[in-house]
Amino acid sequence: MWRQISFHSTLLLCLVLLQAHQVLTSILLEDHHRRCHHDERLALLQFKKTFNTNASFFADCDFYGQPAYPKMISWNATSTKDCCKWDGVTCDKITGHVIGLDLSCSCLQGVIRPNSSLFGISYLQRLNLAQNDFTGSQISPEFGSLRGLTHLNLSSSNFHGEIPSEILHLSNLVLLDLSRTVGCFSPTEVSCTYVRNEPGNFQTKLQNLMNLRVLSLARVEISSKVTFINLSSSLTYLDLSSNGLFGNFPSNVFHLPDLQVLLLHSNTNLAGALPKFNCTSSNSLKHLDLSSTSFSGVLPDSIGCLDSLNSLDLEECKFSGAIPESISNLIELTILDLNSNFLVGQFPISLHNLTLLSYLDLSNNQLKGQIQDFKSRSLTLTWINLSHNKLTGSIPRSIFTLPDIFYVDLSSNSFHGIELNKFSNISYRNLYYLGLSSCGIREFPDFVRNSKFLGGLDLSCNEIHGRIPTWFISKEWDDLEYLNVSRNFLTSTVDQLSCKNIMFLDMSSNFLQGQLPSSLCNFSFLKILDLSNNDFVSTIPQCLGNSSNQLNVMHLGNNRLFGSIPTTFSEDNMLYILILNDNQLEENRLLGRIPRGRHFDTFENNSYGGNLALCGFPLTKDCGVSHSPSPPLGFEEEYESDFFDGFTWKAVLLGYGCGLVLGLAMGCLMFLIGKPRWFIHIVDRTCNLRKRPRKWIHIGT
């Protein structure tokens, strides 16, 4: 009995001692953890002193779901001596050494020099400096001294200069991200990150990094022939976009066993073909982007074996042949972009089986046949672009019954018998862009009145007769930036347009009458204005010259304009192209002094032919007393026959070459000033809400 009591007492004592030991150990470890190493704390504080903070500079961080904030604010030696508790700092729980620094999106501005105290933190394993502003900093060879690094992310932080080979000797690296958000066009650019090695040498040295799982070199200027061989078999993410690679891309990269993301886009001289994929083994590829490359050949039937594929972007390549039926096996696909290739054959019915598809772009190919009804289960589609093909039949009602449809472009096909009034009772609250150019429609689409966020509407080159509906004229379109109703049979006057943010307005080649719309003077963001080939009888509003300081193109030719050219056009404007008739300023009944300015002074004498009442440079006729802006006697009667005699054949000609005048104007504008920022803005405003697969694939540390 005594022995039994003694045994239980001993056992209880052991348990108590064991628990006490665990508690004491935990306390000691916690106490030890609180004490970061003094030299590392000083190194971090010294590193902090080299930077300023600017929270307004880093808007891109919000896109990635990581709001920018100055993490170094918590780095304070007086209030918190333990550097392991500072924002962005990770310490080893046992040794207390700093092993991780995540300063991404920390609003940092400054220069990282080779003697930076950062390189004295020798136990670092993870270093993330992404999304800061280190303008003036080169990628120092001293990064190579951090031998324990497994993760190094210097992306989108304005480093420049040569990538040091020392980084390529960090054999423990699992993640290496040196990508940029700003394009690199020449190694001589100050803001350019590039590789200056013998051709292929950089790619060969990548073989040292056999533990790599993530490699991102987007917009790093490599500019050499592809020689990638023996890349890490552990790679899951490979981004070599926009870095000037050329030659034939090796097909073995497609077969890396764990590869999930392959991004090669924007290497226009990079060639290759899609290989035959193995259907007997698992395929891990989820995102494939070859857009804007020279990949060619047919799409193999085996592409259907990539059953994990989430996005497939082959935009602006050189693929040919038919879209294989096996694409219906890609049941995880959400993004399919095959636009601007040489694809032929029938519109693939199998696409309707892709129930998760949200983005579909097959534009600028040679697909034919009818579009079948999208099944009711394809409710995820928000973006459909089938423009510039050879599709026939009628537009299926199901396209316009998709609940979240955002972008629809069916322009330049051979549809017929389209009855838009059957869609009038459907709500399109999310519709942002509707393109129905050259679709043979005969009526203004009533259903767009339900859209709250309409940003673009293209109804050009159709057979729409009559007035522009009152509901469209009177409604306030606060988001509308692009409106094209040219090459139709619209009549009557256009008194007001309520679209204060419009940037592109084309109502040319109709039968519009009366005064030029006075609301034009309210369009402060207007870039291109084309009201040519109508029957406007009007002066050019004086306010038009200064209402938009950004107006680049104005075409008012083949109307019945009279009066003087507004002198405000010569005052600090951005006008590059002014067309007041087929031959610039000819054959309108304009009078008075020609304004002087940087653009008017470039027009030659014969540009003003037929406007006998104009005077001033470059004409030899001196200006005397100002003329009245009233139309001359008999002006309307004399001009009427000329206008309609010429209008019919011009409208027919423009119908065959829809967008010709605008295309020439834009071509001249591009030649004069390069791609203007406003044009990029219009495109980006749409594309920001577009597929963005490269942005969606976020690299973490």
Side-chain angles (χ1 to χ4, degrees):
M1 184 70 174
W2 170 254
R3 290 181 179 178
Q4 186 176 6
I5 294 174
S6 177
F7 172 76
H8 285 296
S9 298
T10 303
L11 180 61
L12 181 61
L13 179 61
C14 289
L15 291 174
V16 170
L17 291 174
L18 179 61
Q19 186 175 8
H21 174 73
Q22 291 175 340
V23 172
L24 182 61
T25 301
S26 176
I27 292 174
L28 289 173
L29 286 175
E30 185 177 354
D31 184 63
H32 182 72
H33 172 72
R34 283 200 297 266
R35 302 178 199 154
C36 74
H37 289 257
H38 178 70
D39 58 333
E40 294 179 345
R41 177 160 53 90
L42 291 179
L44 291 174
L45 291 173
Q46 185 64 35
F47 187 54
K48 175 185 177 181
K49 290 180 180 179
T50 60
F51 301 110
N52 298 316
T53 58
N54 183 356
S56 62
F57 188 78
F58 305 98
D60 282 352
C61 293
D62 293 332
F63 187 86
Y64 291 103
Q66 182 182 354
Y69 75 97
K71 297 178 183 178
M72 283 186 172
I73 285 181
S74 67
W75 293 21
N76 193 319
T78 56
S79 60
T80 308
K81 293 186 178 181
D82 183 12
C83 66
C84 298
K85 293 184 177 180
W86 293 349
D87 279 353
V89 179
T90 302
C91 293
D92 187 283
K93 292 182 179 180
I94 297 177
T95 66
H97 284 296
V98 176
I99 59 173
L101 272 183
D102 183 359
L103 296 176
S104 59
C105 294
S106 293
C107 312
L108 300 180
Q109 287 184 308
V111 178
I112 298 179
R113 303 190 185 280
N115 61 352
S116 171
S117 61
L118 171 68
F119 303 120
I121 308 175
S122 57
Y123 289 90
L124 270 180
Q125 297 175 16
R126 292 172 175 251
L127 178 59
N128 188 349
L129 301 177
Q131 297 287 348
N132 289 290
D133 181 17
F134 301 132
T135 299
S137 303
Q138 294 196 14
I139 302 179
S140 172
E142 292 301 315
F143 281 103
S145 67
L146 303 174
R147 307 299 298 175
L149 278 181
T150 59
H151 294 67
L152 178 60
N153 190 344
L154 306 179
S155 64
S156 305
S157 290
N158 294 332
F159 281 100
H160 74 280
E162 181 180 353
I163 297 176
S165 60
E166 285 82 356
I167 286 181
L168 302 182
H169 291 97
L170 295 174
S171 58
N172 294 319
L173 279 179
V174 173
L175 180 149
L176 177 61
D177 188 354
L178 305 178
S179 60
R180 293 182 44 79
T181 55
V182 179
C184 176
F185 301 99
S186 169
T188 60
E189 292 185 20
V190 173
S191 61
C192 185
T193 303
Y194 60 95
V195 177
R196 186 193 293 143
N197 284 288
E198 293 299 322
N201 193 31
F202 174 78
Q203 300 174 57
T204 302
K205 289 182 179 179
L206 283 175
Q207 297 178 48
N208 298 327
L209 308 179
M210 297 311 294
N211 293 312
L212 268 184
R213 293 180 58 81
V214 174
L215 175 61
S216 181
L217 299 174
R219 301 198 180 189
V220 172
E221 187 69 14
I222 298 176
S223 295
S224 65
K225 189 174 182 180
V226 179
T227 59
F228 289 108
I229 54 174
N230 297 327
L231 288 173
S232 169
S233 60
S234 302
L235 272 176
T236 61
Y237 185 108
L238 179 60
D239 187 352
L240 300 174
S241 57
S242 302
N243 43 32
L245 290 172
F246 57 88
N248 286 307
F249 191 79
S251 61
N252 64 297
V253 176
F254 290 94
H255 298 300
L256 291 173
D258 298 321
L259 191 63
Q260 298 180 24
V261 176
L262 178 58
L263 309 178
L264 302 176
H265 63 85
S266 306
N267 288 297
T268 55
N269 295 317
L270 183 62
L274 287 177
K276 182 178 180 180
F277 296 99
N278 191 347
C279 295
T280 60
S281 60
S282 61
N283 290 281
S284 57
L285 199 60
K286 293 183 178 180
H287 302 277
L288 178 59
D289 190 346
L290 307 180
S291 60
S292 300
T293 65
S294 294
F295 272 73
S296 60
V298 299
L299 302 179
D301 288 334
S302 59
I303 199 171
C305 300
L306 302 177
D307 50 11
S308 297
L309 206 59
N310 182 262
S311 67
L312 177 61
D313 193 344
L314 307 181
E315 173 188 4
E316 294 183 359
C317 291
K318 299 179 180 180
F319 290 103
S320 57
I323 300 175
E325 290 293 324
S326 62
I327 207 165
S328 63
N329 297 332
L330 307 180
I331 57 176
E332 300 293 326
L333 206 61
T334 60
I335 296 170
L336 178 60
D337 192 343
L338 305 179
N339 97 72
S340 300
N341 280 280
F342 302 96
L343 300 174
V344 298
Q346 298 290 315
F347 181 85
I349 300 176
S350 57
L351 292 179
H352 300 301
N353 297 326
L354 305 179
T355 59
L356 299 180
L357 199 63
S358 63
Y359 182 98
L360 175 63
D361 192 342
L362 304 179
S363 61
N364 295 292
N365 284 288
Q366 301 178 47
L367 301 175
K368 58 184 181 179
Q370 298 188 16
I371 306 175
Q372 302 297 320
D373 266 337
F374 285 85
K375 296 180 180 179
S376 59
R377 58 181 178 171
S378 302
L379 299 180
T380 56
L381 269 172
T382 59
W383 183 291
I384 301 176
N385 190 350
L386 305 177
S387 62
H388 295 90
N389 278 288
K390 299 179 180 180
L391 301 173
T392 56
S394 60
I395 299 174
R397 177 185 174 88
S398 56
I399 286 183
F400 295 101
T401 58
L402 297 169
D404 297 316
I405 195 67
F406 171 81
Y407 184 104
V408 178
D409 193 352
L410 306 175
S411 302
S412 301
N413 280 288
S414 299
F415 297 119
H416 61 81
I418 300 174
E419 299 178 9
L420 295 180
N421 56 9
K422 66 182 179 181
F423 307 128
S424 59
N425 61 344
I426 303 174
S427 175
Y428 300 92
R429 297 191 176 186
N430 296 322
L431 185 64
Y432 179 81
Y433 181 86
L434 177 64
L436 295 175
S437 175
S438 302
C439 283
I441 61 176
R442 297 175 177 270
E443 56 191 327
F444 210 89
D446 185 73
F447 60 84
V448 299
R449 72 164 73 193
N450 300 323
S451 173
K452 292 185 177 181
F453 309 107
L454 190 67
L457 179 63
D458 188 352
L459 303 176
S460 61
C461 303
N462 280 296
E463 301 172 26
I464 304 175
H465 289 69
R467 297 170 176 264
I468 298 176
T470 303
W471 61 262
F472 186 87
I473 296 293
S474 60
K475 183 173 179 177
E476 293 188 3
W477 301 97
D478 290 341
D479 295 294
L480 192 64
E481 295 182 339
Y482 179 97
L483 176 61
N484 191 346
V485 293
S486 64
R487 287 79 171 169
N488 279 286
F489 300 90
L490 298 171
T491 59
S492 190
T493 60
V494 183
D495 297 326
Q496 293 290 326
L497 285 173
S498 300
C499 41
K500 61 183 180 181
N501 293 314
I502 194 77
M503 301 176 75
F504 179 107
L505 177 60
D506 189 350
M507 307 180 78
S508 63
S509 300
N510 281 287
F511 296 93
L512 299 174
Q513 304 169 355
Q515 296 280 321
L516 292 176
S518 59
S519 57
L520 292 176
C521 295
N522 301 325
F523 301 158
S524 57
F525 299 102
L526 191 63
K527 310 297 181 183
I528 286 188
L529 173 65
D530 191 347
L531 301 179
S532 63
N533 295 297
N534 279 290
D535 193 18
F536 288 113
V537 181
S538 174
T539 59
I540 303 175
Q542 289 289 323
C543 63
L544 189 59
N546 55 15
S547 63
S548 175
N549 293 326
Q550 305 177 54
L551 188 63
N552 296 142
V553 177
M554 185 170 72
H555 189 358
L556 303 178
N558 275 339
N559 283 286
R560 293 195 273 174
L561 305 181
F562 58 89
S564 59
I565 301 173
T567 57
T568 49
F569 281 128
S570 63
E571 299 173 0
D572 196 28
N573 66 82
M574 296 298 295
L575 193 65
Y576 281 88
I577 298 176
L578 173 63
I579 305 176
L580 299 179
N581 205 315
D582 288 339
N583 188 19
Q584 306 247 333
L585 305 178
E586 291 184 51
E587 304 301 338
N588 274 302
R589 299 304 172 92
L590 301 172
L591 45 80
R593 183 183 300 275
I594 297 172
R596 296 296 302 273
R598 56 176 176 168
H599 302 307
F600 278 89
D601 290 353
T602 63
F603 296 146
E604 298 179 359
N605 197 323
N606 58 10
S607 296
Y608 300 91
N611 293 279
L612 301 180
L614 286 175
C615 62
F617 183 85
L619 302 179
T620 56
K621 180 180 179 181
D622 293 329
C623 292
V625 181
S626 299
H627 297 276
S628 168
S630 302
L633 272 177
F635 175 80
E636 292 187 13
E637 292 82 356
E638 179 184 345
Y639 196 91
E640 184 174 1
S641 60
D642 290 340
F643 176 81
F644 284 106
D645 285 346
F647 184 87
T648 304
W649 70 263
K650 288 177 183 175
V652 172
L653 177 62
L654 288 169
Y656 281 106
C658 194
L660 176 62
V661 173
L662 174 63
L664 291 174
M666 285 303 302
C668 293
L669 184 62
M670 298 294 188
F671 177 77
L672 286 170
I673 60 174
K675 183 180 288 186
R677 290 183 179 275
W678 66 261
F679 185 77
I680 299 172
H681 171 74
I682 290 180
V683 176
D684 283 351
R685 279 288 302 273
T686 302
C687 292
N688 280 338
L689 300 169
R690 194 184 162 191
K691 55 191 177 190
R692 291 284 186 177
R694 301 150 205 161
K695 292 282 188 181
W696 290 350
I697 307 165
H698 175 52
I699 305 177
T701 56

